[in-house]
Amino acid sequence: MNNDSTSRNDIWKWLALLIIAVFSIYVTFPVAEKLRFGLDLKGGTSFTLGIDQDKLRETIIAANPALTNETGAVEKKMADTLQGCDARIIQVVRRRVDGMGMNEPVIQGMKDHRLLVQLPGIDDATRAAAKKSLQSAAFLEFRLTHPRNDELVSKLMSGEACPEGYERGGSGFVRAANYNEVASRPGYAARLAGFHTPDPRYQFMLEKCGDASYRAAFVSRSAPARDAKGNPQPITGEYLTSASVERDAVGSLAISFSFNGKGAKLFSDVTRNYMAHGPKNPGDRGRQLAIILDDNLVSAPVIQSEIGAHGQITGHFTAAEAQELANNLNAGALPAPLKLLAESSVSPTVGEDAKRAGIIAAGLGFALVGLFMFIYYWYAGLVADIALFLDVALLPAALVFVANVLGVFAKDASMGATGSLALPVLTMPGIAGLVLTLGMAVDANVIIFERIREEFAAKVSTGTALKNGYGRAFTAILDSNITTIVTGIILFIVGTGPVRGFAITLTGGVIISMFTAVVVTRLVFDNTTKADSVKPFKMLNIFKKAPNFDFVKFGKPVFIAAAALCVITVGIFFARAFVKPASVLAVDLTGGTSLVYSVDQKAKPAVSDVRKVLDPFDNATIIQYQDGVGDSTLLVKTGYTAETAKDKGVTDVAGHVTKLLQDNFKDSKIQQVSVDEIGSMVGADLKKSGTWAVALSLCAILIYVAFRFEFGFGLGALVALAHDALISLGLFSLCGRQVSLLVVTALLTIIGYSVNDTIVVFDRIRETLRKDQKTDFKTLCNAALNACLSRTVITSITTFFAVIALFAFGDGSIFDFALTMLIGVVAGTFSSMFIATPVMMWFYKGRRPQFSKETAVEQQQ
């Protein structure tokens, strides 16, 4: 037993492990309450939304009654509003859903300005809140009240007149018993806006008071600000950069907001001009500034002083209302009001058989990795298996920690903001990702064990072998994992939705595996081995003799061949995507056709069986059962339309799919109920943010590697990453499969895997260069590559075990994920040896990089 096993340093490490374990249990149990499942595993609620054209027409008329004097003016204004509004609606709805904490929703555009929104596993209260939020336009506007507003309101209240649907009560008006019926009559909004107005430039509005009564105000119809030419400049929510719930000076709930530069200037000009004794208000009292949300007066505070970039919306809010308002303001305003057209419950897209297969794959992958490590490294492998088990047990704590830390940079309720203890949603792709993480998690252990093997070969004691092995492996582990963590951080900050979910899983898995590999395994060794023993650990060895392959010799021809293969395969992919996107891209990326069928509930086929029938036509079909829309219970979404399915000899997609289902499931009495064209689940905002996230991640890797090594090393890593992602994409497509969101996630995973492998090789090259000042650069690089070969092969094998399990038992999209990863693992292993290092060497043209000649300080663990 090591003499320092009870040192204070070790005690703190044990205590840290205990705290993390307790926290992980706390955020995980009870499992039924803490685990959140996605649509594919649990199902949820489906909303079909459409433009409320009646409400839109009333809003337009209420804002400008003069339009009714010109034939067709209102319709033209409506057409202008609806022109190109679908993309904006999808963007705003997605932000609202994210703000409600809904993970992995399905949001898909349909024809005629309709929208399909599916939310995973929500309760009745959340469903009601979601319906309300989705239908709220959240259009915020600031306008001035009439200069004699108080006088006009007092005159109105001194009489007996009441606005339609209201009666006297409290300190003003209260809604009459027949309010809902009256408010639903055509033209109500315009009639209310014109009630007792002093002139057409102003409209009548009602502000809700704390006693449920409403007080009147006369609000200008025009914008309060003007540009240099005197044109009206509306101050709306489009200038907001953020909104949050806070307490005002008297402790009431309020919405604090911040403007961007243009909004701040407009707001500053208005408040300065109309405060007491302002340039446009010579009186002793400031004008009232009406805060209007969705054509409802929220409040009309008196302007006390000039206000710039920050302001506050006060009113009579409950906590839930305030949070909903802040969420909607952050998401942005809808260009047109929405109404609920249909609501139904939807079942999981993954059948019970596929769930069982996923669980089997996870268990088999875990077992294969653990068994291999034990057989190959024996006792050290058993220690690695303990770390592997702890990776699983402690991962929930890591995910919550990462979500909260990243939430500081970009608040996202769906991923866990600051202070949240909610675990990220669990989906089948998430399970697949976690299985893969386990395969990669032992990489740090392999690096350490191979270093320990080298130390034992130098005839040192166990204590010295452990100290030097961990110390010399630490730099490679740190650099390789930091590049992955930096990638995850950038993906979270710049990305959104699924990209952020992937970033949390990636970063959390890396952090916890590094902790268990570097800290926990060292604690186990220190407490179970004798420091003065000279007997080496029993380990197998792939290479009986030290390998001496000339990797550099084949660098140029291999690189040329790899580059040619990338260009050909990716070129074919993009050519096919340009001519016919549905042939290479799944429905979630291209849109396509949505079909709803009625099915005999007693004989409905399993999702996996339906998938097998439809795979020859479209291997990326989305299949889902749903309830609540009469007899319509089976939803099928394919990426093909009548136009894009012609090469398959199909001119009627709906008819073809229907015949396939009816011929194969005759007892199910399948009948087509409806057919719709649908848009991509990935809107322009997601495509833009995702592209930026990947681009910035690659730049960050280049900068970090250039900083820690030199620019040539960063360039080599970047070229290798590009090779891995492109070759994986091209070969996957050539296999006849369609690229989906899950495949895109797999490509991101490949990037993280590949950069890890490459950095380990580069670290060994750097170490060798510092130790040997005489040997030529080419020989040193070959020596470093051969020294890392054993570790590279073992890591590839463990990752392969996890991927093979998914490949063998995975269903549908999981199969695609596994296939992409199989290609990517091979590509990543290949590129770290034959792409990254040769490119780096070509950059230096034979000269040695100018690293410090001092030997790196060994890290004491």
Side-chain angles (χ1 to χ4, degrees):
M1 186 91 47
N2 288 337
N3 294 330
D4 62 347
S5 63
T6 57
S7 67
R8 178 172 299 179
N9 191 36
D10 279 4
I11 292 174
W12 281 111
K13 291 177 182 177
W14 285 115
L15 182 61
L17 176 60
L18 178 62
I19 291 173
I20 296 173
V22 170
F23 182 67
S24 187
I25 293 172
Y26 176 77
V27 300
T28 307
F29 292 92
V31 174
E33 296 179 9
K34 299 296 181 67
L35 286 186
R36 297 189 293 169
F37 295 93
L39 271 166
D40 56 353
L41 292 177
K42 189 175 182 179
T45 299
S46 177
F47 301 107
T48 301
L49 303 166
I51 298 295
D52 190 339
Q53 299 205 24
D54 292 336
K55 187 174 181 181
L56 176 60
R57 181 180 290 103
E58 286 206 10
T59 300
I60 290 173
I61 295 173
N64 188 3
L67 289 175
T68 57
N69 298 327
E70 182 181 344
T71 304
V74 174
E75 283 65 29
K76 184 178 183 303
K77 181 66 175 177
M78 288 180 64
D80 292 342
T81 302
L82 296 177
Q83 180 68 34
C85 72
D86 292 357
R88 174 62 179 166
I89 288 175
I90 291 174
Q91 180 184 36
V92 171
V93 168
R94 180 178 291 111
R95 289 175 180 171
R96 290 188 186 182
V97 170
D98 287 347
M100 287 185 284
M102 302 291 177
N103 292 20
E104 305 290 349
V106 169
I107 302 173
Q108 199 158 33
M110 305 170 74
K111 63 182 179 181
D112 299 329
H113 306 299
R114 287 181 296 140
L115 184 68
L116 175 68
V117 179
Q118 294 183 333
L119 307 179
I122 58 177
D123 55 31
D124 291 341
T126 308
R127 183 183 297 109
K131 288 165 62 175
K132 181 180 177 183
S133 177
L134 292 174
Q135 295 177 84
S136 168
F139 185 79
L140 179 69
E141 190 174 9
F142 298 86
R143 287 189 257 145
L144 293 169
T145 63
H146 195 282
R148 297 184 294 112
N149 184 66
D150 289 347
E151 176 187 337
L152 293 170
V153 171
S154 295
K155 182 179 179 181
L156 174 64
M157 298 306 296
S158 66
E160 298 296 327
C162 290
E164 189 177 354
Y166 289 84
E167 57 189 28
R168 296 298 176 96
S171 58
F173 300 103
V174 295
R175 288 180 175 177
N178 66 341
Y179 169 79
N180 290 331
E181 188 272 328
V182 172
S184 64
R185 295 172 184 169
Y188 175 77
R191 293 194 300 274
L192 182 66
F195 178 73
H196 278 249
T197 51
D199 64 60
R201 294 175 302 170
Y202 293 86
Q203 69 179 98
F204 175 82
M205 302 192 80
L206 289 167
E207 175 191 351
K208 186 176 181 180
C209 305
D211 57 359
S213 66
Y214 293 80
R215 59 174 167 239
F218 294 94
V219 181
S220 173
R221 295 181 186 271
S222 62
R226 294 289 186 274
D227 61 14
K229 298 180 179 179
N231 298 318
Q233 290 287 295
I235 305 178
T236 66
E238 69 175 296
Y239 299 121
L240 292 184
T241 58
S242 65
S244 60
V245 180
E246 294 183 3
R247 296 279 178 179
D248 62 16
V250 296
S252 299
L253 288 171
I255 312 300
S256 294
F257 60 85
S258 298
F259 281 119
N260 61 17
K262 183 177 180 180
K265 184 179 186 307
L266 291 173
F267 205 59
S268 177
D269 289 345
V270 169
T271 51
R272 181 180 65 255
N273 286 334
Y274 292 99
M275 67 182 187
H277 304 293
K280 296 185 179 181
N281 180 38
D284 296 329
R285 184 174 184 268
R287 288 277 292 277
Q288 288 176 265
L289 185 65
I291 302 173
I292 303 165
L293 181 71
D294 291 345
D295 297 320
N296 293 308
L297 180 60
V298 176
S299 62
V302 174
I303 300 173
Q304 304 286 354
S305 60
E306 180 179 349
I307 304 173
H310 306 284
Q312 197 173 68
I313 301 173
T314 57
H316 300 284
F317 306 116
T318 65
E321 289 171 341
Q323 189 57 57
E324 179 188 342
L325 175 55
N327 172 38
N328 289 348
L329 291 178
N330 281 321
L334 289 168
L338 298 177
K339 63 180 178 180
L340 185 65
L341 301 178
E343 176 182 353
S344 64
S345 60
V346 290
S347 66
T349 55
V350 176
E352 290 299 325
D353 51 346
K355 291 181 187 178
R356 287 192 295 271
I359 294 172
I360 292 172
L364 181 61
F366 185 89
L368 286 175
V369 172
L371 183 62
F372 175 82
M373 290 298 291
F374 176 70
I375 292 175
Y376 192 83
Y377 287 112
W378 292 97
Y379 177 70
L382 179 61
V383 175
D385 288 345
I386 294 173
L388 190 61
F389 170 79
L390 288 174
D391 286 339
V392 178
L394 304 181
L395 184 60
L399 295 178
V400 172
F401 171 77
V402 168
N404 277 274
V405 171
L406 295 182
V408 173
F409 300 100
K411 291 184 179 180
D412 190 332
S414 66
M415 299 302 164
T418 304
S420 170
L421 297 182
L423 288 168
V425 71
L426 185 63
T427 62
M428 278 300 285
I431 293 174
L434 292 178
V435 173
L436 181 66
T437 300
L438 296 179
M440 298 170 59
V442 296
D443 180 53
N445 295 117
V446 173
I447 296 173
I448 293 169
F449 295 166
E450 291 300 311
R451 285 291 195 165
I452 290 175
R453 186 202 300 274
E454 293 174 8
E455 294 299 318
F456 275 128
K459 308 298 183 182
V460 300
S461 66
T462 298
T464 302
L466 289 173
K467 175 184 175 182
N468 293 346
Y470 274 87
R472 289 169 181 169
F474 182 77
T475 304
I477 295 171
L478 182 66
D479 282 335
S480 61
N481 283 299
I482 284 182
T483 53
T484 306
I485 291 171
V486 168
T487 299
I489 292 173
I490 292 176
L491 287 174
F492 184 91
I493 294 174
V494 183
T496 186
V499 175
R500 285 185 170 174
F502 170 77
I504 288 178
T505 303
L506 176 70
T507 308
V510 166
I511 289 175
I512 205 64
S513 64
M514 187 164 62
F515 171 77
T516 58
V518 175
V519 177
V520 176
T521 58
R522 181 67 187 274
L523 284 173
V524 175
F525 279 129
D526 285 346
N527 285 273
T528 59
T529 61
K530 294 181 179 180
D532 56 355
S533 172
V534 293
K535 184 178 180 180
F537 293 160
K538 185 178 180 180
M539 301 178 184
L540 298 181
N541 199 339
I542 292 178
F543 304 103
K544 293 182 178 180
K545 294 183 180 180
N548 188 29
F549 300 114
D550 193 348
F551 291 97
V552 177
K553 177 182 178 180
F554 299 100
K556 181 174 278 189
V558 169
F559 178 84
I560 293 173
L565 186 59
C566 279
V567 171
I568 292 172
T569 57
V570 175
I572 292 173
F573 169 81
F574 281 107
R576 293 173 64 196
F578 179 77
V579 175
K580 189 181 304 174
S583 64
V584 291
L585 299 176
V587 60
D588 51 5
L589 294 177
T590 63
T593 305
S594 173
L595 302 120
V596 177
Y597 296 95
S598 63
V599 182
D600 186 337
Q601 295 294 319
K602 296 179 180 179
K604 72 180 184 182
V607 170
S608 58
D609 292 335
V610 176
R611 191 181 308 282
K612 289 176 184 177
V613 168
L614 297 180
D615 262 2
F617 173 64
D618 179 1
N619 58 50
T621 308
I622 295 175
I623 302 159
Q624 188 175 50
Y625 282 105
Q626 57 182 7
D627 300 304
V629 193
D631 294 329
S632 303
T633 56
L634 178 63
L635 174 66
V636 175
K637 290 192 280 189
T638 171
Y640 285 98
T641 61
E643 183 64 30
T644 59
K646 288 180 179 178
D647 68 327
K648 290 179 172 284
V650 176
T651 56
D652 180 6
V653 172
H656 181 72
V657 172
T658 301
K659 188 174 187 304
L660 286 174
L661 295 176
Q662 290 177 341
D663 288 349
N664 285 275
F665 306 108
K666 295 180 180 178
D667 294 337
S668 300
K669 300 177 183 178
I670 294 176
Q671 296 296 325
Q672 181 181 313
V673 175
S674 66
V675 57
D676 259 313
E677 292 181 10
I678 54 176
S680 167
M681 286 167 54
V682 182
D685 57 324
L686 273 183
K687 291 177 183 176
K688 181 179 179 181
S689 63
T691 302
W692 272 108
V694 173
L696 290 178
S697 296
L698 294 176
C699 289
I701 290 173
L702 175 63
I703 293 170
Y704 179 82
V705 177
F707 172 74
R708 288 289 290 152
F709 297 82
E710 278 195 5
F711 179 79
F713 286 78
L715 182 63
L718 202 62
V719 173
L721 291 182
H723 162 270
D724 299 339
L726 293 175
I727 200 69
S728 299
L729 173 66
L731 291 179
F732 173 83
S733 178
L734 282 184
C735 291
R737 308 298 296 181
Q738 292 169 289
V739 177
S740 64
L741 281 173
L742 184 56
V743 173
V744 173
T745 302
L747 293 174
L748 292 174
T749 307
I750 289 168
I751 290 175
Y753 172 83
S754 179
V755 71
N756 192 298
D757 204 14
T758 300
I759 294 301
V760 172
V761 173
F762 283 173
D763 181 81
R764 182 59 74 103
I765 292 175
R766 177 176 59 185
E767 178 184 329
T768 307
L769 283 169
R770 287 173 171 172
K771 287 181 177 179
D772 189 336
Q773 302 296 319
K774 296 181 180 179
T775 307
D776 65 277
F777 189 32
K778 174 184 175 181
T779 304
L780 284 178
C781 287
N782 258 327
L785 286 167
N786 280 285
C788 291
L789 187 58
S790 179
R791 170 259 160 203
T792 300
V793 171
I794 294 170
T795 301
S796 298
I797 289 173
T798 57
T799 307
F800 238 87
F801 282 149
V803 175
I804 284 293
L806 292 173
F807 187 81
F809 291 94
D811 177 64
S813 58
I814 301 302
F815 176 88
D816 289 344
F817 181 92
L819 177 59
T820 309
M821 286 305 308
L822 279 175
I823 300 170
V825 169
V826 175
T829 303
F830 169 83
S831 68
S832 63
M833 296 293 177
F834 292 100
I835 302 293
T837 301
V839 169
M840 176 269 294
M841 292 180 62
W842 297 335
F843 177 82
Y844 290 110
K845 298 179 180 178
R847 66 179 178 84
R848 294 167 63 100
Q850 298 302 307
F851 289 124
S852 169
K853 296 182 180 181
E854 298 179 5
T855 302
V857 178
E858 295 177 354
Q859 303 293 324
Q860 176 69 38
Q861 302 303 309

